[in-house]
Amino acid sequence: MNEVAAELAREEAYTGRPLKRVEDAALLTGRGRFIDDLPSSAGTLHAAILRSPHAHAELVSIDAAEALKMAGVAAVITRKDVTALTRPFTVGVRQPMQHWCLAVDRVRYVGEPVAVVLARDRYLAEDALDAISVEYRPLPPVIDPERAARADAPLLHPDVGANVVSDRSFAYGDPEAAFAEAPHVVGTTIRYPRNSVTPIECFGMIADWRPDDGTYEITTHFQGPFALHPVMALALKVPGTKVRIRTPPDSGGSYGVKQGVVPYAVLMAVAARVAGRPVKWIEDRLEHLSAASSATNRVTRIEAAVAEDGRVTALRYDQLEDCGAYLKAPEPATLYRMHGTLTGAYQIPNLTVRNRVVLTNKTPTGLNRGFGGPQVYYALERLMHRIADELGLDRLEVIRRNLVPKEAMPYRAAAGSLYDSGDYAATVDLAIGEGRLVGLLARREKARKEGRLYGIGFAAVVEPSVSNMGYITTVLTAEEREKAGPKDGAVASATVALDPLGGVSVAVASTPQGQGHRTVLSQVVADVFGLRPEDVSVTVELDTARDAWSIAAGNYSSRFAAAVAGTAHLAAMRLRDRLAPIAAQRLNVPAEEIVFSGGKVAARSNPENSLSFHRLAGASHWSPGTLGDGVDPALRETAFWSPPELAAPDRGDVINSSAAYGFIFDMCGVEVDRDTGKVSIDRYVTAHDAGRLLNPALADGQVRGAFANAVGAAFYEEFAYGEDGRCLNGTFADYLVPTACEVPEPEILHMACPSPFTPLGAKGIGEGNCMSTPVCLANAVADALGVSDIDLPLSPAQVMALIEPNEPPPPHAAAVEAREPGRALSGEGTATIAATPDEIWRAILDPASLARLLPGCERLEAIDENTYAADVTVRVGPVTGRYTARVRLSELQPPHSLRLDGDGGGTLGTGSGTAWIVLQPADGSTRIEYRWEAEAGGKVAAVGGRMLESAARLLIRQMLQRLEVGAAPAAKRPWWRKHLPLGKGR
Amino acid sequence: MPRLKAGQRHEVAFTLNGVAVRGEAEPRMLLTDFLRHVIGVTGTHVGCEHGVCGACTIRLDGVATRGCLLFAVQVAGRDVKTVEGLGGSDGRLSPLQEAFRRNHALQCGFCTAGILMSLDDFLEKNPSPTEPEVREVLSGHLCRCTGYTGIVRAALETAKGNADA
Amino acid sequence: MKPAPFDYIRAGSVDESLDALHELGDEARILAGGQSLAAMLNMRLVRPTALIDISGLRELDRAETRDDAIEVGAACTQAALSHRLSREGRHPLLEAALPHVGHYQTRSRGTVCGSIAHADPSAELPLCLMALGGEVLLRSRQKRRRVPAEAFFLGVISTACAPDEMIEAVRFPLPKPAYGYAFDEVSRRHGDFALAAFAAIAGPRTIRMAVGGVADRPVSREWPMLEGAALDDALNAFAWELRGQDDQHATAAYRRGLVRKVGRRVIEEAMRCRG
Ligand SMILES: Cc1cc2nc3c(=O)[nH]c(=O)nc-3n(C[C@@H](O)[C@H](O)[C@H](O)COP(=O)(O)OP(=O)(O)OC[C@H]3O[C@@H](n4cnc5c(N)ncnc54)[C@H](O)[C@@H]3O)c2cc1C
Ligand code: FES
Ligand code: FES
């Protein structure tokens, strides 16, 4: 922190100031250019994707003939197209599994693409989806990672022979000895749920195929890492130069998620090739929430060897990472991103880790803000609280005692991360001082005296930025790595150019999605040339055919400020170094004398001796001949920079997984409502050390954004699945993104220990709160409730179950149905029907009357003894679903009991159910006792989960009525018939 | 009684940001698609098409409402205002837009148009709102980037600015 | 997520709508504010062959006091009713409930009658109608009928409105002197459908409470004046009888807990508000 620091500290410098953004004018006036705003060529086809309603099934057949007959439909893409034109995606572990861009032999999660319709517009394309018939043979799904890891679990990829596709163990230092010697071992088990910082703009792309040179051109808001560009090229079976990716000027948020466009980019590229026309696909919210991407859910057992004073001498992690149905590149990166940093902010010399990756019938996972950090820190920071509690020590004191001391910087953490700089203790002091911990303690005391539930939480977190491209190879053994060749570094690139009128332009491969990269780059580069930010124009659209990029390009791992902005600075400096001799010649002074300031280039000793920057900058265009001997023209500089500290993992699996490491200390007070379990955040303080801040206003914006995302993860957001693998959160009514009423304003504090390893001393800041905040809030809630086990999301029901595990019993036990909680839909009941058991039996067994009994049955045809094919239109209120179903009667005990099975699929997804029916004579009538179980998959489950069970009950009521109408002589119809005109109302 | 047939396009004439415009739409075409892809004004965004995210919010006859829950044929003869109609004709930002810029109330800008339209309506009807009132109105929008702080500040500042003016 | 094709009929009058309903019956749907229907159309959960748009019908855009009730016409939006009530200050229960119905941007178009017609088990307005013992005014080409709330809600999004009928208006009885009214709900986020919602009416000798979001429709109960443990017992019995279900947002046990605790809170509030 040398010359650059001095320069940045200059009074007139723009870097470091909270300038307004250059991006905003267009975005505020509706002139943004997002993917769906871009013009598309005439003849562009619009795609709609047919998706699996099953979590796990064999794909027996696909018949698109009817769809192809529909007006406006140009093509239907199915597995035969993708097997002809692509190959399965490259997988990060050595296992025989195949992930194609479209389901080929099986579907493995609800929402997996099965076919693509290309039509004149999206409306017609969706019409045609309904006309494709697909036959599935359902397989048992496995949703829970612990269950999936068991030997008897259904297998997703039979060729692998297990669902655990990677199992590695690591040891650093001497953990066994440390555990053996420790007076205390404290542990906890965490089940971290699935969620996603789902952007408000869904995926979108326009794909085209140029037959003349065999190039695929795809415009999409892919956010990187561009290491996935070769993955796309390999899947498309073409050289990398034949896959041209372009990004639109604007992207409506990503937070990692838009890394997930990759399989779709390949799919739509194929679609465009098959159709011979450009193809546009805009994902809708239902598709996005059910099938786009997700962070991993993880089961972690963590233990610490602890000395009497609370010092941790060793950590033991056992992590079971659930990546969903396929290991989609770059997974299992979520598990390894934090690998070098597993000891967090603490000086813990000994570490042992077991990492397993398991596949389940859920959406494949991918990048997500915080990437691996939330999962690790939830375990580690819960553990730190528990250590204090179990040893009877002060929680803050335990954190403090273990922090990496300032003197140890740069500090090599046990598993290899090289913490570049930081004063953790001072940052903690800043937070508790300016954040007024004293006040929080007083509020807690007061609240508790009044019988209210108030808790305080802390979290200390090291926030890594600029990922080492080699960290992911830690999943391989040293031998496997040797064979594959080393992977390391994190190349950033930037180009600075001068135009004939002396204008300065900057281009970077940073693919921002709202972080204001253009603003920051204009500040940084303006300072180099002594210009104003408005004199520098910045382009952030990327074109892989023309721009400078490398596999590390993109907008992830908080690499912009630390790596990209620094690289732009390097490029600008190089260009300045080329301009200086030209100026020197014109001003007749030595090049060292030249200063760039205030739009002028002048001699340091005699500022009057100057020329305008623009004149100088244009010189190499207009008069290269006058530059003089040995002076090169100054037109354009492209700089590439990779942090030298980022080596490949060594033979002992030591890996410096990131280039820079920020520090965060969070503290909060929360209050829990005793009656409702709702948590309100009283105060949230977050103290950051992200090195040098290039634009503090934008840095705070990143903190606030990540904080809001984390509030969502802590309390609201979860991708929940039924046991049968149905997705329960297909809409924003069920996937709960917090609003302005749920997100309070955090108090943000800053420390600045600049990084010695990054060009500008900056570190990442945008992900940290996704790591620190969920656990800080959970710690506070645990403190409020006095509980030691607590998992996310802290929904009111979950919190209430902790406050009050036992509820008052029902007044008379009989009124209550016995059922397993959380199971598929189920219920039981009784009804009395004015017909004899024999009459009812005949009505059920006779196909003609059975057809009348089943609500909405339009056709019933015997296909076997007591087995029928049926077309059924199910109606619940205005909602109608057409199903093609199979109905089977079995376990027949005439006229006493039987079992009725039905399953089918249709426009609303799939449904299946079983009813066990017992008929008891009762005074000329019949008492029917029934028990039922049902499952629903696909759309109706994803959007109507809240009402599914009520809907199932309604259908059963409809059926009972029909049974009674069908079986009973008209005169005997019971009174309630008149009062419940079910199935007739609207 | 006019019955617009499915599968056919029908002319829809309406006022958009003070200017008479017309285009053709099938009955089922969403207003959002109509504005964006038929009329060609793309400032109104689409984030969910089921009424929750608020990105599509426009003003219909002055009232903030979801564009994705309206069909194009419903706006025939009516007055629609979108984000394109907020600033001055000379390209100057409105006080609300300026306040958004000053307060860093946007990052990716995808949610922004809808929020501006809600606040445009709300502040007109409630010139001096409290912070909870502003947050209540904003609860009809999802923003993933900003954590809402800047948006709340921008709304309150605009109200105050209007009051001082 | 685009709707399947449908014809669009902009009704010029109530009679026209009824003629269209008569002709099309089950095939058609009334389109009011569209705040529930349009989303269901976009998801293709509902596929009518025609929509009959009544949102522009002046004759239905009314909210007036008639025979001890506020009668709200089918084109009156939730926002319009809310404004009117806050101006007149005459209906504490509805005034308290309306701000919980969705958001500023959905109340502006969503109608009061549309919410009743949609009969979401968690919706606030059906709950109020139930608590107040209100009525739904149904009309077909042939006849008009009045259906009490108790008989109108038949289950999840299912009502007694026949295919050729529409709701012309709903009637919310006015508050009675010496009665207290209170409303509260618990939802996950602001503006979400309630996990459980409560409307309580405390009279001189009775307590009445309706609960939404737990059973498949709003359910009301009336007790003679109860207090202390007796009220707890009554609420516990009620909580169990509602036979709530687990869903992804809350367990049945949690909802029962809300009936016991928040239900009690709301009843006590209603008692306090008694004149
Ligand atoms: C983001 C969001 C949040 C919401 N949150 C809530 C909430 O918390 N609480 C809540 O109660 N609601 C909520 N809603 C729904 C509410 O806004 C709707 O207004 C209401 O459910 C339906 O009213 P509508 O006028 O929009 O009816 P529409 O959507 O037009 O119609 C709904 C149904 O009723 C039928 N219908 C409408 N009017 C009549 C009539 N006069 N006669 C016969 N049938 C008719 C229609 O055919 C349709 O089946 C929410 C909606 C959104 C988009
Ligand atoms: S797109 Fe209309 S509310 Fe989300
Ligand atoms: S600014 Fe990106 S979603 Fe709001």
Side-chain angles (χ1 to χ4, degrees), chain A residues 817-869:
Chain A
E817 291 179 17
R819 54 178 300 185
E820 284 175 57
R823 280 262 300 129
L825 313 168
S826 65
E828 57 187 22
T830 60
T832 303
I833 284 186
T836 64
D838 275 318
E839 284 167 329
I840 295 178
W841 191 264
R842 274 199 301 278
I844 296 176
L845 270 281
D846 169 40
S849 67
L850 179 63
R852 285 194 301 273
L853 296 185
L854 300 174
C857 181
E858 281 147 18
R859 182 186 68 92
L860 187 87
E861 204 176 282
I863 49 175
D864 208 340
E865 209 198 335
N866 289 329
T867 304
Y868 307 93

Coordinates of all heavy atoms in Angstrom, one line a residue, chain A residues 817-869:
Chain A
E817 N -58.0 -36.8 13.9 CA -57.5 -37.8 13.0 C -56.0 -38.1 13.4 O -55.2 -37.2 13.7 CB -57.4 -37.3 11.6 CG -58.8 -37.1 11.0 CD -58.7 -36.5 9.6 OE1 -57.6 -36.6 9.0 OE2 -59.7 -36.1 9.1
A818 N -55.7 -39.4 13.4 CA -54.3 -39.7 13.7 C -53.6 -39.7 12.3 O -54.1 -40.1 11.3 CB -54.2 -41.1 14.2
R819 N -52.5 -39.0 12.3 CA -51.7 -39.0 11.0 C -50.3 -38.6 11.3 O -50.0 -38.0 12.3 CB -52.3 -38.0 10.1 CG -52.4 -36.6 10.7 CD -53.0 -35.6 9.8 NE -52.1 -35.5 8.6 CZ -52.3 -34.7 7.6 NH1 -53.3 -33.9 7.6 NH2 -51.5 -34.6 6.6
E820 N -49.5 -39.1 10.4 CA -48.1 -38.7 10.5 C -47.9 -37.3 10.0 O -48.3 -37.0 8.9 CB -47.2 -39.7 9.6 CG -47.0 -41.0 10.2 CD -46.3 -41.9 9.2 OE1 -45.2 -41.5 8.8 OE2 -46.8 -42.9 8.8
P821 N -47.2 -36.5 10.8 CA -47.0 -35.1 10.3 C -46.1 -35.1 9.0 O -45.2 -35.9 8.9 CB -46.4 -34.4 11.4 CG -45.8 -35.5 12.3 CD -46.6 -36.7 12.0
G822 N -46.4 -34.2 8.2 CA -45.5 -34.0 7.0 C -45.6 -35.0 5.9 O -44.9 -34.9 5.0
R823 N -46.5 -36.0 6.1 CA -46.6 -37.0 5.1 C -47.4 -36.5 3.9 O -47.9 -35.4 3.9 CB -47.3 -38.2 5.7 CG -46.4 -39.1 6.5 CD -45.9 -40.3 5.6 NE -47.0 -41.1 5.2 CZ -47.1 -41.5 3.9 NH1 -46.3 -41.0 3.0 NH2 -48.1 -42.2 3.5
A824 N -47.5 -37.3 2.9 CA -48.4 -37.0 1.8 C -49.8 -36.7 2.3 O -50.1 -36.9 3.5 CB -48.4 -38.1 0.8
L825 N -50.6 -36.2 1.5 CA -52.0 -35.8 1.9 C -52.7 -37.1 2.3 O -52.5 -38.2 1.7 CB -52.8 -35.3 0.7 CG -52.0 -34.2 -0.1 CD1 -52.7 -34.0 -1.4 CD2 -52.0 -33.0 0.7
S826 N -53.4 -37.0 3.4 CA -54.1 -38.2 3.9 C -55.2 -37.8 4.8 O -55.3 -36.7 5.3 CB -53.1 -39.1 4.7 OG -52.7 -38.4 5.8
G827 N -56.1 -38.7 5.1 CA -57.2 -38.4 6.0 C -58.0 -39.6 6.2 O -57.8 -40.7 5.6
E828 N -59.1 -39.5 7.0 CA -60.0 -40.6 7.2 C -61.3 -40.0 7.6 O -61.4 -38.8 7.9 CB -59.5 -41.5 8.2 CG -59.2 -40.9 9.6 CD -58.6 -41.9 10.5 OE1 -58.0 -42.9 10.1 OE2 -58.7 -41.6 11.7
G829 N -62.4 -40.8 7.5 CA -63.6 -40.2 7.8 C -64.7 -41.3 7.8 O -64.4 -42.4 7.4
T830 N -65.9 -40.9 8.1 CA -67.0 -41.8 8.0 C -68.2 -41.0 7.3 O -68.2 -39.8 7.4 CB -67.5 -42.3 9.4 OG1 -67.9 -41.1 10.1 CG2 -66.4 -43.0 10.1
A831 N -69.1 -41.8 6.8 CA -70.3 -41.2 6.2 C -71.4 -42.2 6.3 O -71.1 -43.4 6.2 CB -70.1 -40.8 4.8
T832 N -72.6 -41.8 6.4 CA -73.7 -42.8 6.3 C -74.5 -42.5 5.1 O -74.8 -41.4 4.7 CB -74.6 -42.6 7.6 OG1 -73.7 -42.7 8.7 CG2 -75.7 -43.6 7.6
I833 N -74.8 -43.6 4.4 CA -75.4 -43.5 3.1 C -76.7 -44.3 3.1 O -76.7 -45.5 3.6 CB -74.5 -43.9 2.0 CG1 -73.5 -42.8 1.8 CG2 -75.2 -44.2 0.7 CD1 -72.6 -43.0 0.6
A834 N -77.7 -43.8 2.6 CA -79.0 -44.4 2.6 C -79.1 -45.5 1.6 O -79.9 -45.4 0.6 CB -80.1 -43.4 2.5
A835 N -78.4 -46.5 1.7 CA -78.4 -47.6 0.8 C -77.8 -48.8 1.5 O -77.0 -48.6 2.5 CB -77.7 -47.3 -0.5
T836 N -78.1 -50.0 1.1 CA -77.5 -51.1 1.8 C -76.1 -51.4 1.3 O -75.8 -50.9 0.2 CB -78.3 -52.4 1.5 OG1 -78.2 -52.7 0.1 CG2 -79.8 -52.2 1.9
P837 N -75.3 -52.1 2.1 CA -73.9 -52.4 1.6 C -74.0 -53.1 0.2 O -73.1 -52.8 -0.6 CB -73.4 -53.3 2.7 CG -74.1 -52.9 3.9 CD -75.5 -52.5 3.5
D838 N -75.0 -53.9 0.0 CA -75.0 -54.6 -1.3 C -75.3 -53.7 -2.4 O -74.6 -53.8 -3.5 CB -76.2 -55.7 -1.3 CG -75.7 -57.0 -0.7 OD1 -74.6 -57.4 -1.0 OD2 -76.4 -57.6 0.1
E839 N -76.2 -52.7 -2.2 CA -76.4 -51.7 -3.2 C -75.2 -50.9 -3.6 O -74.9 -50.7 -4.7 CB -77.6 -50.8 -2.8 CG -78.9 -51.4 -2.9 CD -80.0 -50.6 -2.1 OE1 -79.7 -49.9 -1.1 OE2 -81.2 -50.6 -2.6
I840 N -74.5 -50.6 -2.5 CA -73.3 -49.8 -2.7 C -72.2 -50.6 -3.4 O -71.6 -50.2 -4.4 CB -72.8 -49.2 -1.4 CG1 -73.8 -48.3 -0.8 CG2 -71.4 -48.6 -1.5 CD1 -73.4 -47.7 0.5
W841 N -72.1 -51.8 -3.0 CA -71.1 -52.7 -3.6 C -71.4 -52.8 -5.1 O -70.4 -52.7 -5.9 CB -71.2 -54.1 -2.9 CG -70.0 -54.9 -3.3 CD1 -70.0 -55.9 -4.3 CD2 -68.7 -54.9 -2.7 NE1 -68.7 -56.4 -4.4 CE2 -67.9 -55.8 -3.4 CE3 -68.1 -54.1 -1.7 CZ2 -66.6 -56.1 -3.1 CZ3 -66.8 -54.3 -1.4 CH2 -66.0 -55.3 -2.1
R842 N -72.6 -53.1 -5.4 CA -72.9 -53.2 -6.9 C -72.6 -51.9 -7.6 O -72.1 -52.0 -8.7 CB -74.4 -53.6 -7.0 CG -74.7 -55.1 -6.9 CD -76.1 -55.4 -7.6 NE -77.2 -54.7 -6.9 CZ -77.8 -55.0 -5.8 NH1 -77.4 -56.1 -5.2 NH2 -78.8 -54.3 -5.3
A843 N -72.9 -50.8 -7.0 CA -72.7 -49.6 -7.7 C -71.2 -49.4 -8.0 O -70.8 -48.8 -9.0 CB -73.2 -48.4 -6.9
I844 N -70.4 -49.8 -7.0 CA -68.9 -49.6 -7.2 C -68.3 -50.6 -8.2 O -67.5 -50.3 -9.1 CB -68.2 -49.8 -5.9 CG1 -68.6 -48.7 -4.9 CG2 -66.7 -49.7 -6.1 CD1 -68.0 -48.8 -3.5
L845 N -68.9 -51.8 -8.2 CA -68.3 -52.9 -9.0 C -68.7 -52.8 -10.5 O -68.1 -53.4 -11.4 CB -68.6 -54.2 -8.5 CG -67.5 -54.8 -7.5 CD1 -66.3 -55.4 -8.2 CD2 -67.1 -53.8 -6.4
D846 N -69.8 -52.1 -10.7 CA -70.3 -52.0 -12.1 C -69.7 -50.8 -12.8 O -69.8 -49.7 -12.3 CB -71.9 -51.9 -12.0 CG -72.4 -51.5 -13.4 OD1 -71.9 -52.1 -14.4 OD2 -73.3 -50.6 -13.5
P847 N -69.0 -51.1 -13.9 CA -68.2 -50.0 -14.5 C -69.1 -48.8 -14.9 O -68.7 -47.7 -14.7 CB -67.7 -50.6 -15.8 CG -67.7 -52.1 -15.6 CD -68.8 -52.4 -14.6
A848 N -70.3 -49.0 -15.4 CA -71.2 -47.9 -15.8 C -71.5 -47.0 -14.6 O -71.4 -45.8 -14.6 CB -72.5 -48.5 -16.4
S849 N -71.8 -47.7 -13.4 CA -72.1 -46.8 -12.3 C -70.9 -46.3 -11.6 O -70.8 -45.2 -11.1 CB -73.1 -47.5 -11.3 OG -72.4 -48.5 -10.7
L850 N -69.8 -47.0 -11.7 CA -68.5 -46.5 -11.2 C -68.1 -45.2 -11.9 O -67.7 -44.3 -11.2 CB -67.4 -47.6 -11.3 CG -66.0 -47.2 -10.8 CD1 -66.0 -46.9 -9.3 CD2 -64.9 -48.2 -11.2
A851 N -68.3 -45.2 -13.2 CA -68.0 -44.0 -13.9 C -68.8 -42.8 -13.4 O -68.3 -41.7 -13.3 CB -68.3 -44.2 -15.4
R852 N -70.0 -43.1 -13.0 CA -70.8 -42.0 -12.4 C -70.4 -41.6 -11.0 O -70.6 -40.5 -10.6 CB -72.3 -42.4 -12.4 CG -72.9 -42.3 -13.8 CD -74.5 -42.3 -13.7 NE -75.0 -43.5 -13.0 CZ -75.2 -44.7 -13.6 NH1 -75.0 -44.8 -14.9 NH2 -75.7 -45.7 -13.0
L853 N -69.8 -42.5 -10.3 CA -69.3 -42.2 -8.9 C -68.1 -41.3 -8.9 O -67.9 -40.5 -8.0 CB -69.0 -43.5 -8.2 CG -70.1 -44.5 -8.0 CD1 -69.6 -45.7 -7.2 CD2 -71.2 -43.8 -7.3
L854 N -67.2 -41.5 -9.9 CA -66.0 -40.8 -9.9 C -66.3 -39.4 -10.3 O -66.8 -39.2 -11.4 CB -65.0 -41.4 -10.8 CG -64.6 -42.9 -10.4 CD1 -63.6 -43.5 -11.4 CD2 -63.9 -42.9 -9.0
P855 N -66.0 -38.4 -9.5 CA -66.3 -37.0 -9.9 C -65.6 -36.6 -11.2 O -64.4 -36.9 -11.3 CB -65.7 -36.2 -8.7 CG -65.4 -37.1 -7.7 CD -65.3 -38.5 -8.2
G856 N -66.3 -36.1 -12.1 CA -65.7 -35.6 -13.3 C -65.3 -36.7 -14.3 O -64.6 -36.4 -15.3
C857 N -65.8 -37.9 -14.1 CA -65.3 -39.0 -15.0 C -66.1 -38.9 -16.3 O -67.3 -38.9 -16.4 CB -65.6 -40.4 -14.3 SG -65.0 -41.7 -15.4
E858 N -65.3 -38.8 -17.4 CA -66.0 -38.7 -18.7 C -65.9 -40.0 -19.5 O -66.6 -40.1 -20.5 CB -65.3 -37.5 -19.5 CG -65.7 -36.2 -19.0 CD -64.7 -35.1 -19.1 OE1 -63.7 -35.3 -19.8 OE2 -64.8 -34.1 -18.4
R859 N -65.0 -40.8 -19.2 CA -64.9 -42.1 -19.9 C -64.3 -43.1 -18.9 O -63.4 -42.8 -18.2 CB -64.0 -41.9 -21.1 CG -63.8 -43.1 -22.0 CD -62.7 -42.8 -23.0 NE -61.4 -42.7 -22.4 CZ -60.5 -43.7 -22.3 NH1 -60.8 -44.9 -22.7 NH2 -59.3 -43.5 -21.7
L860 N -64.8 -44.3 -19.0 CA -64.2 -45.3 -18.1 C -64.2 -46.6 -18.9 O -65.3 -47.0 -19.4 CB -65.0 -45.5 -16.8 CG -64.4 -46.5 -15.8 CD1 -63.4 -45.7 -14.9 CD2 -65.5 -47.1 -15.0
E861 N -63.1 -47.2 -19.1 CA -63.0 -48.4 -20.0 C -62.2 -49.4 -19.3 O -61.1 -49.2 -18.8 CB -62.2 -47.9 -21.2 CG -62.5 -48.7 -22.5 CD -61.7 -48.0 -23.6 OE1 -62.2 -47.0 -24.2 OE2 -60.6 -48.5 -23.9
A862 N -62.8 -50.7 -19.3 CA -62.1 -51.7 -18.6 C -60.8 -52.1 -19.4 O -60.9 -52.3 -20.6 CB -63.0 -52.9 -18.4
I863 N -59.7 -52.2 -18.8 CA -58.5 -52.6 -19.5 C -58.0 -54.0 -18.9 O -57.1 -54.6 -19.5 CB -57.4 -51.6 -19.5 CG1 -57.1 -51.1 -18.1 CG2 -57.7 -50.4 -20.4 CD1 -55.9 -50.1 -18.0
D864 N -58.6 -54.4 -17.8 CA -58.2 -55.6 -17.2 C -59.3 -55.9 -16.1 O -60.2 -55.0 -15.9 CB -56.8 -55.4 -16.5 CG -56.1 -56.7 -16.4 OD1 -56.7 -57.8 -16.5 OD2 -54.8 -56.7 -16.2
E865 N -59.2 -57.0 -15.5 CA -60.2 -57.2 -14.5 C -60.1 -56.2 -13.4 O -59.1 -56.0 -12.8 CB -60.1 -58.6 -13.9 CG -61.5 -59.2 -13.5 CD -61.4 -60.3 -12.5 OE1 -60.3 -61.0 -12.5 OE2 -62.3 -60.5 -11.7
N866 N -61.2 -55.5 -13.1 CA -61.3 -54.4 -12.1 C -60.2 -53.3 -12.3 O -59.9 -52.7 -11.3 CB -61.1 -55.1 -10.7 CG -62.4 -55.8 -10.3 OD1 -63.5 -55.5 -10.7 ND2 -62.2 -56.9 -9.6
T867 N -59.7 -53.2 -13.5 CA -58.8 -52.1 -13.8 C -59.3 -51.3 -15.0 O -59.8 -51.9 -16.0 CB -57.4 -52.6 -14.1 OG1 -57.0 -53.4 -13.0 CG2 -56.4 -51.5 -14.3
Y868 N -59.4 -50.0 -14.9 CA -60.0 -49.2 -15.9 C -59.1 -48.1 -16.3 O -58.3 -47.6 -15.5 CB -61.3 -48.6 -15.3 CG -62.2 -49.6 -14.8 CD1 -62.2 -49.9 -13.4 CD2 -63.1 -50.3 -15.6 CE1 -63.0 -50.9 -12.8 CE2 -64.0 -51.3 -15.0 CZ -63.9 -51.6 -13.7 OH -64.8 -52.5 -13.1
A869 N -59.3 -47.7 -17.5 CA -58.7 -46.4 -18.0 C -59.8 -45.4 -18.0 O -60.9 -45.7 -18.4 CB -58.1 -46.6 -19.4

